[in-house]
Amino acid sequence: MDPERVRPSSAHDSPFFTTNSGAPVWNNNASLTVGPRGPVLLEDYHLIEKLANFDRERIPERVVHARGASAKGFFEVTHDISNLSCADFLRGTGVQTPVIARFSTVIHERGSPETLRDPRGFAVKFYTREGNLDLVGNNFPVFFVRDGMKFPDMVHALKPNPKTHIQENWRILDFFSHHPESLHMFSFLFDDVGIPQDYRHMEGFGVNTYVLINKAGKVHYVKFHWKPTCPVKCLSDEEAIRVGGTNHSHATKDLYDSIAAGSFPEWHMFIQVIDPAHEDKFDFDPLDVTKIWPEDILPLQPVGRLVLNKNIDNFFNENEQLAFCPAIVVPGFHYSDDKLLQSRIFSYADSQRHRLGPNYLQLPVNAPKCAHHNNHHEGLMNFMHRDEEVNYFPSRLNPVRHAEKYPQNPIACAGNREKCMIEKENNFKQPGERYRSWDADRQERFLKRFVDALAEPRVTHEIRSIWISNWTKADESLGQKLATRLKVSPNF
């Protein structure tokens, strides 16, 4: 047997237990001791190895999106958009690309119930012939803040109190009272859609603005949408308490059971596109993640379908070690100047290198399925087989060369070096429009949730007044109702 061709496997092809190095274990029930009672000898290598591996079974959980479930399947192009992107996996209708998708809660820890009011992550990794593409989004089309500078503070505010380890509304409302752009996100989070029934009955959104580039080098801004073939369903507050009280993993179980039963979850991908030459005609900044692109002005265009038809083989290998990063794109895709996206393209990969190690892209679930080659080598947990003597570039002794040039983003960058807010904040129009689009019962449920949050004893009068003022700017009647129920003077 060629030892170079052997890969680590837990297959049951050995008649007896062994150590990690393959040595037979003749007693896996008792430690090596001095006499029958002990003490235990340090030379019991098998005991030490067994304990050391057990001690390291848990890797650091994700700071956000710690609780999640994954499944595998394919993406099939149903509509030709080669006029917008030269990406190979979009080269024609009927083309299928293998994928793995992960759905998650965002703020709460790995063992938390899947029924908590929280955004849900919606991430898809495409294993294309040109390398991987990661589309990492949420079940809401907007986000809390528009600048990555505020992301750590935002997460700290949403996470439990560092002193008590209890998530508390006063901390959340205090922080976001400084960021009125968050109103739009709260119009989703505190709405009926704030607790999805499960992952199959949930929409997905890319949230950030990306760039598509066609063969001629023409650029378009793009937003991605995932629409489930199942109807969108959510849990009421009462239903969430009931379901969460009996099953902390109801959404994970639903995903697994539906695939096992042959009822494969499916989503259709749509895009919205804007020609960068026309971006100034809108009353909002198209690169602002706190805004939606109105579908009556920028209609959804169909692209393809996502089908999840295979459960993962091992939860740790294909869920806990599954790693996404918005920076991972293919030719025909690129990043816009979206301030939050620009931060994410660094932060996600940096987080994975900390959590999984510098060679996390060598793990099978994260590795590309196409041929790949570079001179990155060594480092922690590197298991890439290398047989070359030339690990530099260029070399006249190594045939590896540059790839053929593909279209790049031609948009020029110009401006002063400065730290500033975007010009078109327009923080109140869209959340007000969203609130007014609901029927009276839905408005009442939203109002009650916000009153309950603002009524917490540690929410100060100042913070309460700021939120009432902001919601009044979005919708005057909503602000007045909040003020009345909270017994706060409407004269802000």
Side-chain angles (χ1 to χ4, degrees):
M1 179 172 59
D2 182 358
E4 295 291 346
R5 300 183 68 85
V6 175
R7 297 186 64 186
S9 173
S10 62
H12 301 292
D13 55 2
S14 174
F16 44 73
F17 274 94
T18 73
T19 64
N20 285 348
S21 62
V25 172
W26 66 272
N27 186 337
N28 196 35
N29 295 316
S31 304
L32 182 64
T33 60
V34 179
R37 298 183 62 217
V40 175
L41 293 175
L42 185 62
E43 68 183 63
D44 189 346
Y45 175 80
H46 172 53
L47 171 68
I48 302 303
E49 180 182 80
K50 188 174 182 179
L51 292 176
N53 276 267
F54 175 76
D55 294 345
R56 293 163 175 79
E57 281 184 1
R58 298 294 178 265
I59 60 177
E61 74 174 32
R62 292 167 169 88
V63 177
V64 288
H65 300 279
R67 179 70 193 265
S70 305
K72 296 182 280 192
F74 65 88
F75 175 79
E76 180 181 13
V77 178
T78 57
H79 293 75
D80 185 5
I81 62 164
S82 57
N83 62 311
L84 296 173
S85 174
C86 62
D88 175 75
F89 81 101
L90 299 173
R91 62 188 178 275
T93 57
V95 174
Q96 291 190 357
T97 300
V99 302
I100 186 168
R102 186 175 189 269
F103 311 100
S104 56
T105 57
V106 176
I107 291 301
H108 305 283
E109 51 269 302
R110 193 158 51 191
S112 59
E114 293 179 308
T115 49
L116 298 176
R117 184 169 295 277
D118 194 24
R120 300 298 191 269
F122 194 116
V124 183
K125 185 183 295 290
F126 300 74
Y127 300 105
T128 87
R129 302 194 307 184
E130 295 178 306
N132 292 350
L133 167 68
D134 287 357
L135 289 183
V136 191
N138 288 330
N139 68 319
F140 301 149
V142 295
F143 200 63
F144 292 102
V145 292
R146 58 170 67 99
D147 193 315
M149 179 66 80
K150 300 311 302 175
F151 190 83
D153 299 294
M154 179 204 75
V155 173
H156 289 169
L158 290 166
K159 286 281 191 180
N161 184 324
K163 183 175 181 179
T164 65
H165 199 66
I166 298 172
Q167 188 183 36
E168 296 169 318
N169 281 332
W170 67 267
R171 290 164 36 81
I172 298 170
L173 294 169
D174 175 28
F175 173 76
F176 287 110
S177 70
H178 298 272
H179 300 284
E181 73 265 29
S182 67
L183 260 65
H184 203 184
M185 183 66 165
F186 278 103
S187 76
F188 285 88
L189 184 60
F190 276 49
D191 180 26
D192 291 348
V193 298
I195 310 177
Q197 175 176 294
D198 50 56
Y199 298 131
R200 289 186 300 129
H201 295 84
M202 180 179 84
E203 292 182 295
F205 300 90
V207 183
N208 292 112
T209 301
Y210 276 83
V211 163
L212 293 181
I213 312 172
N214 66 15
K215 290 180 180 179
K218 173 63 179 175
V219 164
H220 286 89
Y221 291 144
V222 62
K223 278 187 179 288
F224 296 96
H225 301 250
W226 298 103
K227 302 292 184 183
T229 55
C230 294
V232 174
K233 294 182 179 180
C234 302
L235 297 175
S236 68
D237 297 292
E238 295 74 22
E239 289 171 330
I241 292 171
R242 176 178 54 80
V243 173
T246 58
N247 186 354
H248 280 197
S249 304
H250 81 285
T252 297
K253 186 176 187 302
D254 176 83
L255 180 66
Y256 187 93
D257 288 350
S258 65
I259 294 175
S263 179
F264 303 139
E266 182 174 337
W267 289 262
H268 289 173
M269 178 201 270
F270 296 86
I271 58 173
Q272 290 176 287
V273 295
I274 291 178
D275 188 326
H278 302 153
E279 63 176 305
D280 291 336
K281 72 178 184 179
F282 302 100
D283 64 0
F284 60 90
D285 188 328
L287 307 188
D288 180 356
V289 294
T290 70
K291 304 294 186 292
I292 61 169
W293 293 1
E295 293 179 17
D296 57 339
I297 301 174
L298 302 162
L300 298 180
Q301 301 180 34
V303 179
R305 66 188 188 113
L306 168 69
V307 179
L308 300 180
N309 59 5
K310 187 177 187 304
N311 279 312
I312 57 177
D313 300 308
N314 180 274
F315 186 82
F316 181 79
N317 289 345
E318 297 180 301
N319 185 77
E320 293 305 294
Q321 293 195 124
L322 175 58
F324 292 91
C325 176
I328 295 180
V329 295
V330 295
F333 278 68
H334 201 66
Y335 330 115
S336 74
D337 293 339
D338 173 343
K339 287 189 176 185
L340 190 69
L341 177 60
Q342 290 287 315
S343 300
R344 292 178 78 206
I345 60 179
F346 163 76
S347 182
Y348 277 59
D350 190 53
S351 295
Q352 306 297 4
R353 293 185 188 103
H354 165 70
R355 194 173 67 89
L356 299 172
N359 292 302
Y360 76 95
L361 288 176
Q362 291 182 20
L363 294 167
V365 72
N366 300 321
K369 308 309 178 190
C370 61
H372 57 286
H373 177 87
N374 55 54
N375 291 325
H376 306 326
H377 68 121
E378 300 177 356
L380 184 69
M381 295 300 292
N382 189 315
F383 55 92
M384 176 74 69
H385 172 66
R386 291 190 176 274
D387 194 29
E388 67 268 22
E389 295 180 280
V390 175
N391 59 351
Y392 50 85
F393 183 90
S395 168
R396 292 184 174 84
L397 306 175
N398 190 324
V400 176
R401 67 194 194 295
H402 285 124
E404 292 185 13
K405 187 176 180 180
Y406 51 83
Q408 303 291 307
N409 185 352
I411 298 177
C413 296
N416 298 324
R417 297 166 60 188
E418 54 189 330
K419 289 193 172 190
C420 60
M421 304 298 290
I422 64 171
E423 294 180 356
K424 291 182 182 179
E425 291 194 53
N426 204 350
N427 295 322
F428 307 106
K429 179 183 178 182
Q430 289 191 1
E433 290 174 341
R434 177 171 168 78
Y435 173 78
R436 288 187 292 275
S437 72
W438 302 333
D439 61 39
D441 289 344
R442 189 170 177 178
Q443 289 181 351
E444 175 60 28
R445 290 191 294 271
F446 175 82
L447 180 64
K448 182 181 184 303
R449 294 181 190 116
F450 235 98
V451 167
D452 289 345
L454 288 169
E456 283 196 1
R458 293 192 65 178
V459 177
T460 66
H461 177 77
E462 179 187 16
I463 294 172
R464 201 171 286 137
S465 298
I466 290 171
W467 276 99
I468 294 172
S469 174
N470 285 341
W471 280 119
T472 301
K473 293 173 184 175
D475 183 88
E476 187 173 352
S477 67
L478 173 57
Q480 290 175 344
K481 290 175 182 177
L482 283 170
T484 299
R485 298 195 188 186
L486 291 164
K487 296 180 173 57
V488 175
S489 170
N491 299 318
F492 310 114

